[in-house]
Amino acid sequence: MDGLDLAIRSFADRSMERALAVARVFDEFPYLRPRRVGGDPARIKVTPSMEAVVEATGLPIDWLTVRRDEGDAMEFGEIDLSPGRGGWVGEQEDGEWAFSLTGHRIEQRWEADTVAESAAIAAVAAFFEGMVVAMDAAYGCVTPGLWRPRPLHTVVEAELPGVFWLNYFGPAFVGARPELATIVGARTLRTGGVLVQTSSEPWQPYEVGIPAWQSPLRAVFGAAVFEWVRPNPALPTIDEHVSASPGTQEMPWVAWQATKAANDRTRKHTAASKRLAAASLGRAQPTLPDDAVEWSTSFDLDDWREFARYLTRKLRGDLTTAIGKAVISVITTAPVDEEDSIILDTQLGPIRLGWFMDDEDVVDLYIWGPPLVSDLCDAWLA
């Protein structure tokens, strides 16, 4: 008899409460539950409960798990839960980012002597059912090590790893193949997904070709789902798994991009402010004439950049020097609610250039100077 491996993949919208629901499933089965979790090595003792540990840690959770590590008896696993739709990967090519969602993942292994204990098989089956519901899983399976492919959790939009003792197919699978709910051993769960038990016991004798206990599921799916193609047109896409699970449609990398953009903007603003201070050091500030008139408008930042280039071409003077370039950069990267002004010398005379950041992408601009400067500004808007 071999041990058992469990793997579950999910693209559900994960909140802290939903993470605690996953923890409570572990706590319902203390015999199967890991004893330690954490990094490499896993040092956090699971006491008094997995729920207490998850609540203390919060999201994201990227844990290795250890139930046993005694000589040849090694029972390890992984718990990977992140806020929102889960983990993701991104790569940059020619300045453009491409992202893909990896979601959430649970993997656990139990050795043969663990699952040989009385009622252990029933406990594994109940644990699996409770976990796919708590995870609102897209896919999951439990299999003896003899049948275990690598990686067991697979890339569910590219290939199914096989047919196993326990198989779970989320709502996106069922929507594409409603006959899944009608085959022998199938039960529809409250998630809308279908759990399929292919045999009474996990361990089946080896057979050449396709075993009879695998035939019903393989007949429903056909051969294409078990062949690696990315994406595989015979399988639901990640977008379809996301759509089938209620919650946010915002992908997790959106927040990362926003944070990165904000940090980049702050860094550029700090650098531009330093350049402006250095260029202004010891400079005699021009005097604005008494007959200066005001011109003002609001710009989106893209329009402001175009207008700044136009103004530089028409007025030249300080705008073409280090101080002018620094001012333009300061305005472009300024934080919300920043308000300031500076007097610059131009070929049409001194002007006061003032700005107020209305929000991240809108700047209110004020220019005081000779009437001809106001006319030039009006001409750009015409």
Side-chain angles (χ1 to χ4, degrees):
M1 187 173 75
D2 199 358
L4 293 177
D5 284 36
L6 171 148
I8 295 171
R9 185 104 177 264
S10 170
F11 302 101
D13 184 8
R14 188 72 44 195
S15 63
M16 189 59 193
E17 179 51 41
R18 298 187 78 170
L20 292 173
V22 170
R24 287 191 285 269
V25 175
F26 277 106
D27 289 336
E28 288 177 30
F29 302 89
Y31 175 70
L32 300 173
R33 186 179 61 196
R35 292 175 182 159
R36 297 193 312 277
V37 297
D40 189 4
R43 300 181 184 275
I44 305 170
K45 291 183 179 180
V46 180
T47 180
S49 66
M50 184 70 84
E51 183 177 8
V53 174
V54 169
E55 190 163 26
T57 303
L59 292 172
I61 289 170
D62 185 9
W63 286 343
L64 300 177
T65 71
V66 179
R67 184 181 178 275
R68 292 170 66 192
D69 186 6
E70 305 162 354
D72 293 334
M74 296 184 294
E75 295 182 353
F76 299 122
E78 294 185 42
I79 304 174
D80 187 358
L81 307 173
S82 296
R85 294 293 180 172
W88 55 277
V89 294
E91 56 183 1
Q92 195 173 22
E93 185 174 342
D94 297 330
E96 295 295 323
W97 282 94
F99 301 99
S100 58
L101 191 65
T102 57
H104 317 279
R105 189 160 51 96
I106 299 281
E107 293 190 31
Q108 298 291 292
R109 172 160 178 78
W110 302 283
E111 292 288 349
D113 58 341
T114 295
V115 294
E117 295 288 334
S118 175
I121 295 304
V124 169
F127 174 84
F128 178 68
E129 181 172 342
M131 193 58 77
V132 294
V133 171
M135 291 281 285
D136 190 10
Y139 173 76
C141 60
V142 180
T143 178
L146 175 66
W147 296 94
R148 181 176 67 246
R150 286 295 183 212
L152 181 62
H153 69 272
T154 195
V155 181
V156 294
E157 78 280 13
E159 178 189 37
L160 286 186
V163 172
F164 307 110
W165 170 51
L166 296 178
N167 310 264
Y168 176 77
F169 304 100
F173 279 102
V174 179
R177 290 183 170 82
E179 62 270 32
L180 278 169
T182 66
I183 66 174
V184 175
R187 286 190 298 113
T188 300
L189 306 185
R190 60 186 175 88
T191 57
V194 168
L195 191 154
V196 181
Q197 182 173 334
T198 57
S199 58
S200 58
E201 290 190 349
W203 302 280
Q204 299 297 319
Y206 176 77
E207 298 179 38
V208 177
I210 296 175
W213 56 272
Q214 292 190 9
S215 295
L217 259 181
R218 288 189 178 272
V220 167
F221 277 113
V225 300
F226 303 104
E227 298 172 359
W228 178 275
V229 181
R230 191 171 188 182
N232 189 329
L235 289 169
T237 64
I238 290 178
D239 285 346
E240 288 169 332
H241 286 299
V242 169
S243 296
S245 180
T248 181
Q249 297 299 303
E250 183 176 276
M251 292 296 101
W253 53 81
V254 173
W256 173 82
Q257 285 179 305
T259 300
K260 182 178 182 299
N263 290 340
D264 287 347
R265 181 168 175 160
T266 298
R267 177 178 51 79
K268 290 176 181 178
H269 185 68
T270 300
S273 298
K274 288 180 179 178
R275 293 198 304 273
L276 179 57
S280 302
L281 194 64
R283 171 178 176 264
Q285 186 166 263
T287 301
L288 197 66
D290 294 336
D291 62 347
V293 297
E294 179 186 349
W295 181 90
S296 63
T297 192
S298 293
F299 285 109
D300 291 339
L301 282 185
D302 286 343
D303 287 339
W304 152 244
R305 292 183 183 95
E306 289 293 328
F307 180 74
R309 285 191 281 270
Y310 168 82
L311 210 60
T312 300
R313 290 196 307 272
K314 294 295 185 179
L315 299 184
R316 303 193 62 78
D318 283 344
L319 285 167
T320 64
T321 67
I323 194 169
K325 293 173 183 177
V327 168
I328 292 170
S329 185
V330 164
I331 296 172
T332 304
T333 59
V336 174
D337 292 337
E338 177 172 291
E339 184 173 16
D340 207 346
S341 68
I342 188 171
I343 297 179
L344 302 172
D345 206 2
T346 77
Q347 64 182 7
L348 295 181
I351 65 169
R352 179 187 292 275
L353 181 62
W355 63 94
F356 173 74
M357 293 305 299
D358 224 8
D359 65 28
E360 290 183 352
D361 298 309
V362 176
V363 55
D364 295 339
L365 199 72
Y366 308 90
I367 299 176
W368 294 267
L372 187 54
V373 172
S374 180
D375 292 342
L376 285 172
C377 294
D378 285 336
W380 189 86
L381 292 176

